Structure formats: C-alpha cells, structure tokens
Amino acid sequence: MYAQLVETGAKRLKTMEEMSPEEREFQEKVDAETKIEPKNWMPEGYRKTLVRQISQHAHSEVVGMLPEGNWVTRAPTLKRKLQLMAKIQDEAGHGLYLYSAMETLGADRDEEIEKLHQGKAKYSSIFNYPTLNWADMGAVGWLVDGAAIVNQVVLQRTSYGPYSRAMVRICKEESFHQRQGYQILLDMMREGTEEQKAMVQDAINRLWWPALMMFGPHDDESPNSQQSMAWKIKRKSNDELRQMFIDQTIPQLEFLGCTAPDPDLKWNEETGHYDFGEINWQEFYDVLKGNGPCNRERINTRKKAIDEGAWVREAAVAYAKKQKQRAQAA
Amino acid sequence: MTQAEALKEYLLRLADSDMILGQRLCELCGKAPALEEEMALMNVALDLVGQARNWYEYAAELIDDGRDADKLAFRRDAHNYRNLLLTEQPNEDYAVTMGRQFFFDVWHYFTLKSLTESSDERIAGIAAKALKEATYHLRRSSEWVKRLGDGTEESHKRMQDAVDILWRFTGELITPDDTDRVMAEAGIGPDPDQLAKDWRGMVNEVLTQATLTPGAEDAWMYMGGKHGEHTEHLGFILAEMQFLQRAYPDATTW
C-alpha cells in the first residue's frame, strides 16, 4: 500500500438524512458503483481525501526510486541492470501519471511536492528503510511491489474514475515487477552460492515487517478508514488486505526455501488463514513521524534534486517564451 | 593490425562507450531536475546499456575465449576498457550532463547511421535498431543545449562553461586511429573524414542556435580512451559498477 493513514476530515459518517441533496445524490452514485468523474459534484472532504491519497501514492513512486537507485549502479549483470532500469523508469512514469490524476481534482503538482519536501506530506513508510544488499532488489520487487499490488488491485474499483483507471494501468506493470523481483531471489536460492543465499534471507529478515506495515494500522486504530470505505475510495480494510498478502506470500516464501522473521507465523486450519505475530507499531509510528533509518536522506535527496534543478526549469521556461515571441514576430 | 583484430577492438569501443555513459546516467536516478527528466534520463540510459549488451554479445562471440557479455562488462579493468573519455566524465551540473550527452549523441548518430550500411551484416542489424534510439537521444540533447544556452543568463553561463570543460574530450570522437582506418577500409566502420565533417557541422549548427561558442578546432585534445588510457574517473566507475562480480567471483548466477 503506497498510501497510509489518509486523513478524511470526518469524525463520523453522516446518515443519508443528515446529507444535503447533493451529498445524497453523490453517495447514491457511489453506492451504485457509478464512477465519479472530474466534472461531477463531489463533497469537499472526498476531494481532499483523494488529493491526499493520490499525492501520497505519487510521492511513494518517486521516493521509491531512491532505494533502487542505490543499487542500479551496482547491478550484477547486464540483464539485471536493464530490468532494474526499466522498473525505475516505470516508477517515474507512474509518478507522472498519478500526479496527473491528482491534478484532475484541482490540486497543483508543484504545491503537493513542496509539501513533501517540507515534511508535511506522507509517502509509503517502506521507502525509509535502506537497501543493504543486492537481494534487496529482489525482495523489494517481491514483497514491496507485492504488498502494493494487493492494495492496488482492489483500488482498480475505487470510486474516482481517473484514479481507478490509473490503477488498472499501474497494476499491470507492478505485477511484472513483482515476478521479476521474485525471480531474482529464486535464482539466487536455487543456483547461488552460500553467500548469495544468505543475502536473500537477510533481505527478507529486514524487509518482512516493514512490508506488513505498508497496509497501515489495525482497523480499530484507523479512524479515517470508515469514511474512505463509505466513499469507496478504499474498498477493503487494512487488516483484510494484510491478511490477503500474508496468505498469498507464505507459500512463495516456502517455495524459495526461506523463512520469515516471525516465530508466531503458522497456518490456522480453523480460519483457513495464516496467523502471524504482532507488528511493532511503535516502529511504524516512529518511521511515519520521520524517525526511520532513511527518512532524512530520502527527503533531502528529493529536495536537493528539485532545488538544484530550479535553474534548469527556469531556463526551459525562458527559452519557451523566447521561442513563442520569435514565432509571433516571424 | 588484422581486420579481425580491429573488429574486436572496434566492437568493444562501441560497447564500452554505451555502457559507461549509461552508467553515468544511472547515477542520476532520483536526482534529475524534474520528474519528466527522471524518466527521460533512465530511458536513454536503458537504450545505451541495451545497445552495449548487443555489442558485447557480438564481441564475445568473436573473442571466443569463454567470456560472455557480462564477463566483458563486469570483469575487465580500466586499462582494458575502450570507451571514449567523454563518456566517463562526471555528471557535474545538468549543463555538463546535457553537453556530454549532446557531443556524444552527434557522434553516435552519425556513427550508427554509417554502420547501418556496414559490410558486416550483424553490425548493420544492431545499428539499425540503435539508430532509432540515438535519433531520439540527439533530438532531446540538442533541444536541451538550446534551452540552456538560450534560456536565462545563468543557464547560458553554465552551458558555455560545460562546452568549455568538455571540449578537450571531443577530439577523440573524430580523430581516427589504425583501428578506425582498418574498419573504414573494410567497409565495416564509418569514413573518418566524413564523420568528422558531419560531427563538426551539426555541433556548430546547434551551438550557434544555442548562442554558444564552440571550442577552437585546433584546441589541445585529451585522448587515450580508445586505447585504454583513461582519466582517473573510470577506475571509480568500474569499482562501483563491477562491485558484485568482483566481491563474489564464485557466483555464476544472479
């Protein structure tokens, strides 16, 4: 999940009787699964919530390029280097695509990016963890993109049309990334040296819990979920999505011949799901507040890129203006 | 030098220049001045490394000593690398990045254009696909040189500085040596005189449009990359790029 703890501004759900005629008409449309389009009337809270969620998602794509950029210069083979480069390029594309979807809601890309740089906007907490060995490129693809897909597949049915369509396109590419990531790990586990196998297990040990945290807090700790679900921005709860992810991932983990760093993880015959241990929520909230291992580096890198690129963007604007004047004079 | 020796040497030059410039662009991941540029830089880098792979694969077949494309890319030391010195120069600011790209792209475009008519069919085939990519690269870097050169006062100064910094590495692009001559005579590689003329013509045209001043034609030129004598930068580039292959020499799969 690339958007966590999205604020909706709603303390509780309004009943149909409490809604204005416009609100009621809007809610009926949502309930009937009719997509909301940019020109349609929408409650201000719905618009703001979507701007927050889509911008968080876009920021996550962009910040998410950094942990991979950490290894793209050190990829071990031509094939792996090309794959990683293509993945990073896709992510830049997803970022652009999502910012465009966000702009259909009247938000401004530069303003939202400025909020990110000021530490006022969130992005997925997972990208505040470092990528420390090559197997992390496999584990990020498999677990992080995997967790993102579980969420995004559901978001293909989100009520806002442009966001829903963006998800359809993005999901296709993410699934491809996930398979590639898993293949990196599988190849090392099957044909690699002992050192390579140790890299894979180490990557899983470090990224396992942060990947589970991507789904956000427990449902009863997630005060904004109820409104988001009523508006059908969100379609499944955090805990439901997390369970789906665990259930589909454990067989893949076993197939790799690796283990998860969770002694409480076991199949539950009764529920038909895997039981798992409690997430370290203190760590989750610490990272969200800016106290993860790489929060400062990630934001500083992004801020520096945009700040130091100001003269480049100014030159492009000045040149375009000159060209326009020349065309008019000619 | 026999033609067969020259061909192997020539393929490594093509491959290594693509590879090293692609690597330099990879360093910019997450650091571009705009998200659109982030995408474009990675796109160009992807094209270059992809082309490098094609050249390496052909070179590996001809060298035929058990090394594959990956071994050629990740296990040769700097003195065996044959890339143009221009491609290993650091990113510095965006003017240097784009200036480096532009000087390279002009050379790359005319070289590939000529190689599409190479008497070596394999080369002609690889070049035909690569030329499409290089045409886009050149259009893009020309536009940026013009934007920066004819943009603001600051961008003009930075772009002119970039031209001045990089100029001494451009002589190597258009100064032929024995390998280049043997390739030209065999109808495999481009005619060196024509290549130099085309390169100068387009560089002058674009720089003029960009209100920039090219370096002198008789300026001192720093050369040696094509023979394995590099600037100090290449050693560090390879130390990073080849790290895993060097640290885990027993690993046969990744």
Side-chain angles (χ1 to χ4, degrees):
Chain A
M1 187 193 275
Y2 282 1
Q4 294 158 326
L5 279 180
V6 180
E7 178 70 41
T8 58
K11 299 260 184 306
R12 63 173 188 85
L13 291 185
K14 280 189 193 174
T15 63
M16 278 290 190
E17 289 70 39
E18 290 169 321
M19 290 180 188
S20 68
E22 282 167 319
E23 283 175 317
R24 209 173 302 146
E25 195 190 334
F26 170 85
Q27 191 60 49
E28 280 163 4
K29 240 168 136 179
V30 169
D31 291 343
E33 301 287 336
T34 306
K35 292 276 178 264
I36 305 301
E37 296 299 334
K39 283 182 185 155
N40 298 149
W41 184 89
M42 59 185 83
E44 191 52 18
Y46 176 84
R47 195 188 68 81
K48 282 188 175 161
T49 302
L50 270 170
V51 169
R52 280 192 206 102
Q53 176 155 340
I54 302 175
S55 65
Q56 272 192 36
H57 195 156
H59 299 333
S60 299
E61 295 282 358
V62 176
V63 176
M65 292 163 67
L66 299 175
E68 292 174 330
N70 183 40
W71 280 96
V72 73
T73 54
R74 291 179 289 173
T77 64
L78 291 160
K79 180 176 137 187
R80 294 297 182 212
K81 196 177 188 80
L82 288 163
Q83 283 178 348
L84 188 54
M85 292 164 85
K87 181 173 194 268
I88 292 168
Q89 199 195 355
D90 285 347
E91 279 150 5
H94 295 171
L96 280 172
Y97 202 56
L98 285 162
Y99 283 125
S100 298
M102 180 199 79
E103 289 189 319
T104 63
L105 292 155
D108 180 75
R109 177 172 132 185
D110 292 342
E111 280 174 25
E112 296 307 315
I113 290 175
E114 182 55 32
K115 286 182 200 162
L116 170 74
H117 294 176
Q118 288 172 356
K120 289 180 191 162
K122 292 193 198 84
Y123 55 92
S124 181
S125 55
I126 189 82
F127 301 120
N128 291 315
Y129 290 85
T131 50
L132 299 178
N133 78 46
W134 168 251
D136 285 26
M137 293 303 97
V140 165
W142 174 46
L143 294 175
V144 176
D145 287 59
I149 293 165
V150 166
N151 179 50
Q152 286 165 191
V153 162
V154 183
L155 280 178
Q156 293 180 77
R157 295 191 295 119
T158 194
S159 57
Y160 188 58
Y163 192 31
S164 155
R165 289 188 287 276
M167 283 303 114
V168 171
R169 185 171 137 170
I170 289 172
C171 273
K172 280 185 197 150
E173 291 180 355
E174 301 270 25
S175 306
F176 185 63
H177 299 159
Q178 193 201 12
R179 283 197 298 275
Q180 269 181 353
Y182 190 68
Q183 196 63 45
I184 288 176
L185 303 181
L186 194 60
D187 285 356
M188 286 205 275
M189 289 308 292
R190 288 197 164 165
E191 296 168 58
T193 61
E194 288 309 310
E195 284 176 311
Q196 286 175 297
K197 289 177 190 171
M199 267 183 212
V200 175
Q201 186 60 58
D202 174 58
I204 293 170
N205 289 348
R206 281 181 289 104
L207 289 167
W208 181 258
W209 289 110
L212 296 188
M213 290 178 200
M214 286 174 70
F215 296 93
H218 283 311
D219 296 346
D220 52 12
E221 299 283 325
S222 184
N224 298 296
S225 284
Q226 214 187 353
Q227 179 64 69
S228 270
M229 300 267 274
W231 280 333
K232 299 196 176 180
I233 294 175
K234 263 180 104 139
R235 305 291 318 232
K236 279 190 192 299
S237 79
N238 295 351
D239 286 327
E240 277 178 289
L241 291 166
R242 189 164 19 241
Q243 188 67 54
M244 276 171 71
F245 174 72
I246 296 230
D247 289 346
Q248 73 176 44
T249 302
I250 300 306
Q252 296 167 3
L253 179 75
E254 286 168 354
F255 190 70
L256 275 181
C258 292
T259 58
D262 179 359
D264 298 327
L265 185 74
K266 61 174 184 299
W267 176 250
N268 184 326
E269 203 67 55
E270 252 170 61
T271 61
H273 295 290
Y274 284 92
D275 292 338
F276 55 99
E278 193 56 44
I279 287 169
N280 181 347
W281 293 110
Q282 186 58 49
E283 179 180 319
F284 173 75
Y285 287 109
D286 280 345
V287 174
L288 230 54
K289 272 186 211 134
N291 295 319
C294 296
N295 295 55
R296 275 163 207 259
E297 286 84 349
R298 301 295 188 233
I299 290 300
N300 284 348
T301 304
R302 288 308 308 153
K303 191 173 175 328
K304 200 169 161 221
I306 296 306
D307 289 353
E308 289 183 358
W311 70 270
V312 177
R313 299 190 303 277
E314 282 159 18
V317 171
Y319 179 75
K321 208 170 147 191
K322 282 185 199 176
Q323 288 294 89
K324 203 176 159 192
Q325 283 166 353
R326 281 173 196 143
Q328 280 168 351
Chain B
M1 183 184 290
T2 65
Q3 190 181 310
E5 283 166 355
L7 178 55
K8 285 182 248 179
E9 189 75 8
Y10 191 69
L11 287 170
L12 286 178
R13 289 179 183 184
L14 292 170
D16 290 344
S17 285
D18 284 342
M19 189 70 197
I20 296 302
L21 187 53
Q23 176 73 3
R24 276 299 192 205
L25 296 178
C26 281
E27 291 172 14
L28 289 169
C29 174
K31 297 168 184 144
L35 194 48
E36 286 80 357
E37 287 306 292
E38 206 67 69
M39 223 176 140
L41 287 172
M42 199 47 85
N43 183 245
V44 172
L46 191 58
D47 288 343
L48 291 174
V49 177
Q51 291 174 26
R53 178 164 69 169
N54 292 335
W55 298 127
Y56 281 133
E57 280 171 357
Y58 187 26
E61 284 172 33
L62 297 177
I63 292 168
D64 193 26
D65 63 357
R67 285 183 296 174
D68 59 8
D70 283 329
K71 289 277 185 301
L72 290 177
F74 295 102
R75 292 286 183 92
R76 277 178 309 141
D77 201 352
H79 64 277
N80 286 321
Y81 252 75
R82 296 289 182 259
N83 61 288
L84 296 161
L85 297 180
L86 177 71
T87 61
E88 70 200 42
Q89 298 314 304
N91 293 321
E92 306 284 357
D93 67 3
Y94 215 58
V96 172
T97 296
M98 277 303 148
R100 183 186 62 201
Q101 192 68 41
F102 170 65
F103 288 144
F104 175 83
D105 288 342
V106 177
W107 170 84
H108 203 205
Y109 171 78
F110 285 114
T111 299
L112 290 171
K113 204 173 164 198
S114 167
L115 290 179
T116 59
E117 288 162 21
S118 174
S119 61
D120 184 308
E121 280 181 18
R122 179 86 174 265
I123 289 183
I126 296 172
K129 183 178 173 283
L131 180 63
K132 284 182 198 148
E133 296 167 346
T135 305
Y136 154 73
H137 301 169
L138 176 58
R139 196 169 59 225
R140 186 181 118 75
S141 60
S142 303
E143 281 302 310
W144 269 114
V145 166
K146 285 190 253 177
R147 272 187 208 120
L148 298 181
D150 192 21
T152 62
E153 201 176 317
E154 181 183 6
S155 73
H156 175 80
K157 186 184 176 304
R158 283 176 183 260
M159 197 60 235
Q160 184 64 56
D161 286 349
V163 169
D164 298 343
I165 289 168
L166 296 168
W167 191 255
R168 67 199 170 116
F169 299 109
T170 60
E172 190 177 35
L173 278 59
I174 50 171
T175 308
D177 65 357
D178 284 351
T179 301
D180 296 315
R181 284 190 206 95
V182 172
M183 286 295 94
E185 278 158 24
I188 295 174
D191 170 34
D193 294 335
Q194 188 61 44
L195 180 63
K197 197 168 154 250
D198 288 339
W199 188 87
R200 284 205 184 94
M202 185 171 283
V203 165
N204 282 329
E205 189 190 317
V206 172
L207 291 188
T208 304
Q209 285 176 17
T211 70
L212 296 164
T213 313
E217 268 193 36
D218 61 354
W220 177 81
M221 289 292 168
Y222 191 164
M223 296 195 262
K226 293 198 284 193
H227 304 109
E229 283 174 43
H230 290 274
T231 59
E232 289 177 343
H233 302 298
L234 187 64
F236 290 95
I237 293 175
L238 296 184
E240 183 173 356
M241 189 175 92
Q242 300 178 334
F243 158 67
L244 284 167
Q245 289 264 357
R246 300 284 189 187
Y248 301 94
D250 299 334
T252 53
T253 189
W254 283 98

